[in-house]
Amino acid sequence: DTRLSFGSTGYESVLPFVKQGITASLLPMLNRMSVVGIVAIPGMMAGQLLGGAKPLVAAEYQMVIFWILCGTSTISTYMAVFLAIYNASINKHQLT
């Protein structure tokens, strides 16, 4: 409300909170991706290795799966945050 009283728009007034929320939401996924293959071998990769697939092929499949999961998580986070901003702000740049 203080930022709105100084003349900023509804989006500009919540921008610091948006950045903090998106960072907090995506941090677990990024941490999980950083340890894959070093500390933990995910289920699909372990199943392929036990089934006789080559390790590089199993790793490629697992990387694709993790990139898809990360992309889906990122898209859903941005959609949720911006829909929340849209629903919380009124046309007159007021927060409800």
Side-chain angles (χ1 to χ4, degrees):
D1 289 338
T2 305
R3 292 175 190 254
L4 289 173
S5 66
F6 286 131
S8 64
T9 63
Y11 177 74
E12 291 171 344
S13 63
V14 296
L15 191 60
F17 305 109
V18 168
K19 288 180 181 179
Q20 182 181 6
I22 289 174
T23 302
S25 174
L26 295 178
L27 195 59
M29 179 62 72
L30 294 175
N31 286 337
R32 184 176 172 196
M33 288 182 70
S34 68
V35 298
V36 170
I38 298 171
V39 177
I41 296 178
M44 188 182 100
M45 187 172 170
Q48 283 186 333
L49 291 174
L50 290 175
K54 294 180 182 179
L56 290 178
V57 173
E60 287 175 358
Y61 277 110
Q62 192 61 49
M63 286 173 50
V64 168
I65 294 297
F66 269 121
W67 281 109
I68 290 171
L69 288 174
C70 186
T72 304
S73 177
T74 303
I75 290 169
S76 63
T77 299
Y78 276 98
M79 285 179 61
V81 166
F82 288 113
L83 285 175
I85 291 171
Y86 179 75
N87 286 330
S89 63
I90 302 175
N91 293 336
K92 297 179 182 179
H93 299 293
Q94 298 172 345
L95 296 177
T96 57

